[in-house]
Amino acid sequence: MPLKLLIGGGGTGGHIFPALSIANAVKRHCPDAEILFVGALGRMEMEKVPEAGYKIIGLPVAGFSRTKLWKNFGVLIKLWRSMRMARKIVKDFQPDVVVGVGGYASAPVVKRAQKSHIPTLIQEQNSYPGVTNKLLAAKACKICVAYPEMNRFFPEEKIVETGNPVRQALTECNLTKAEAKKALGFNPDTPLVVSIGGSLGAATINEAIEAALPLLARNGINLFWQTGKIYADIAIPKAEPYVNVKAMPFVKQMDVAYRAADLVVSRAGAGTISELELLGVPTILVPSPNVAEDHQRKNAMALTTRDAALMILDAEAVEKLPEAIVKTVTDKELLDRLSTNVKLLAKNKADEKIARLVIELAKNNQLKK
C-alpha cells in the first residue's frame, strides 16, 4: 500500500524549504508515496510547492495581530473556515501520517489529524518554538528539533534532535570559491560579501547595506545584494553607480552564492542558520525584531556564544554594520575561526533522519488499519 503523507505549514522559506526537503527524502525511500501539502492562501508556498512538483491546497488561515486587535475577529473566522476545510482534507486524503512544519497552516491539519488518531510529527526549526508547535506538541508522536535542551518546551520522550533539513542543491554544489565568484560575475581574488534578507527582504539590512556602499567601494570589496521583492525598486537603483555591486530581488542560485561568499550578512532564521552551519560560511547575523518571542535573537545567540558568528542588533545595524562588514571580511584569521566553529554545529542529513521517522510512523499506522 503506497504511503500517504500530508504536510502542513508554510508562510516563509524557513518553513517551506524544510518541508520540501522532507517530502523529497520520503520520495527517495518510497517513490510511490502520495504526498499532499496544505498551506496558507496568498503565501509563497502556493507558488514554491507546485514548482517542486507537489500538490497543495490553500487554507484562508492568517496570523493573529498583536497590535491591531480588532482585526482578530476576521482572523478567527478564517481559522474556523480553515479548521472545517482541514477536516475535509484529512477525511478525503486519509493520510497515514501528518507532518507539521510550523506556520499558520500547520495547526488546522495537524490538530485534525490528532483528533482522528492519525500519527503526527512536528518539525521545529527554531531554538525557541512558535506558539503553534507548542500547542500541538502534547499529542504529537515525534518532535524533531535542531537545537539542544528543547525539553524546556516539549515532552522529552518525544524529542529527536535531527537538525533542520536544507535544500539538497546547497550540499551538492561542488564549485570552489573562485569558480563560484566567477559564476556570479566577480573577480575571484577580491573579497565578496553576500547580503540576504529573505525572499521579501529586510528593511534594516537594506538600509545598512545602502549606507555601506561607499565604504565597500573604497576598500575594494565586492557585494552580492539580495534586496527582497518589497525593496527591489528602491535598493537596485542605489546599487547601479557601483561597479563592485550586483543587486537583485531574489537569488535562485543560493548554492553558488554561499560558495562564493567570504562573508554573509543575514537575518537569523533557523533555516538560513542551518544552511550556513552545513557550509561553514562566516556570517554577521542581524536578527529580526519582528518575530514571535524574539526567537531570531535566540537563534543568533546559539551561534555567537560559541564564537560561530557575529551579531549586530537590528536597532544598531545602520550605524554599526558598514564598518563591521569591512573589518570582518578583511580579517582572514577571524573568517577562518568563524567558519571552523560554525561547521562544528552542523547536523547533517536532517531530511533523511526525519524521513525515516515519518516512514516508520506511517508503516506502523498502516499495520493497525
Side-chain angles (χ1 to χ4, degrees):
M1 191 190 311
L3 180 154
K4 299 186 79 170
L5 167 62
L6 183 63
I7 301 178
T12 66
H15 292 128
I16 298 160
F17 295 130
L20 288 171
S21 295
I22 294 167
N24 292 338
V26 169
K27 273 285 191 182
R28 288 196 295 272
H29 289 279
C30 303
D32 61 345
E34 294 181 42
I35 300 177
L36 175 65
F37 282 76
V38 175
L41 286 171
R43 303 306 293 262
M44 65 185 292
E45 60 263 29
M46 301 307 295
E47 175 186 342
K48 297 296 180 185
V49 171
E51 282 180 3
Y54 295 102
K55 294 179 182 178
I56 186 167
I57 298 173
L59 301 180
V61 68
F64 286 93
S65 174
R66 300 183 181 196
T67 54
K68 300 175 182 177
L69 299 180
W70 68 88
K71 288 189 174 184
N72 290 333
F73 179 73
V75 173
L76 287 171
I77 292 174
K78 289 179 178 179
L79 179 60
W80 178 77
R81 288 177 57 205
S82 296
M83 293 298 293
R84 291 195 65 183
M85 288 179 67
R87 181 169 61 184
K88 186 176 189 307
I89 292 166
V90 170
K91 183 180 178 182
D92 291 348
F93 186 63
Q94 291 289 303
D96 298 306
V97 60
V98 175
V99 172
V101 295
Y104 311 140
S106 68
V109 290
V110 174
K111 191 73 175 174
R112 171 44 55 184
Q114 291 174 346
K115 285 184 177 180
S116 304
H117 305 290
I118 296 167
T120 59
L121 179 148
I122 292 171
Q123 201 263 319
E124 174 55 58
Q125 294 99 18
N126 293 293
S127 60
Y128 194 96
V131 173
T132 298
N133 279 350
K134 283 195 281 189
L135 291 173
L136 296 171
K139 294 186 178 179
C141 298
K142 297 289 182 184
I143 303 169
C144 297
V145 301
Y147 292 89
E149 300 176 10
M150 295 298 282
N151 55 349
R152 293 176 294 158
F153 312 106
F154 300 130
E156 188 165 8
E157 69 277 7
K158 298 181 179 185
I159 295 173
V160 184
E161 196 172 325
T162 58
N164 284 324
V166 302
R167 290 167 279 186
Q168 197 173 356
L170 297 180
T171 55
E172 290 178 346
C173 179
N174 294 317
L175 294 178
T176 65
K177 187 181 293 290
E179 290 169 342
K181 285 182 179 180
K182 285 182 181 178
L184 296 179
F186 292 104
N187 183 337
D189 299 320
T190 303
L192 175 64
V193 175
V194 174
S195 175
I196 49 176
S199 56
L200 298 179
T204 306
I205 289 181
N206 282 332
E207 289 173 21
I209 291 297
E210 181 186 334
L213 292 176
L215 190 60
L216 296 179
R218 286 199 301 272
N219 284 274
I221 298 166
N222 290 331
L223 172 68
F224 192 59
W225 184 9
Q226 178 186 291
T227 64
K229 294 178 183 178
I230 294 175
Y231 305 100
D233 291 343
I234 298 171
I236 291 175
K238 304 283 187 184
E240 285 176 355
Y242 296 91
V243 295
N244 63 314
V245 179
K246 293 182 187 295
M248 61 196 63
F250 187 74
V251 178
K252 288 187 176 180
Q253 290 182 297
M254 277 309 303
D255 54 338
V256 180
Y258 279 141
R259 286 296 194 285
D262 293 293
L263 176 70
V264 164
V265 175
S266 174
R267 287 300 198 196
T272 299
I273 285 179
S274 294
E275 294 171 351
L276 296 166
E277 288 173 346
L278 279 172
L279 300 175
V281 184
T283 308
I284 298 176
L285 296 168
V286 184
S288 171
N290 307 312
V291 293
E293 310 291 349
D294 199 22
H295 71 253
Q296 284 208 5
R297 185 176 62 84
K298 296 179 175 94
N299 289 348
M301 288 179 66
L303 272 65
T304 57
T305 55
R306 293 167 173 84
D307 196 23
L310 304 178
M311 177 174 70
I312 293 178
L313 296 179
D314 189 86
E316 301 173 334
V318 175
E319 176 190 352
K320 294 184 176 181
L321 188 58
E323 286 190 11
I325 289 173
V326 173
K327 182 180 177 182
T328 305
V329 80
T330 54
D331 186 339
K332 189 175 185 309
E333 184 180 333
L334 174 59
L335 292 176
D336 288 344
R337 189 171 76 246
L338 292 175
S339 178
T340 298
N341 291 342
V342 79
K343 263 189 173 179
L344 293 174
L345 303 177
K347 296 178 179 68
N348 292 297
K349 299 188 182 297
D351 56 346
E352 287 289 324
K353 295 171 187 173
I354 297 171
R356 284 196 289 270
L357 292 170
V358 169
I359 293 166
E360 181 184 350
L361 289 172
K363 288 185 174 178
N364 287 342
N365 191 32
Q366 286 180 344
L367 289 173
K368 292 177 184 177
K369 291 181 180 179

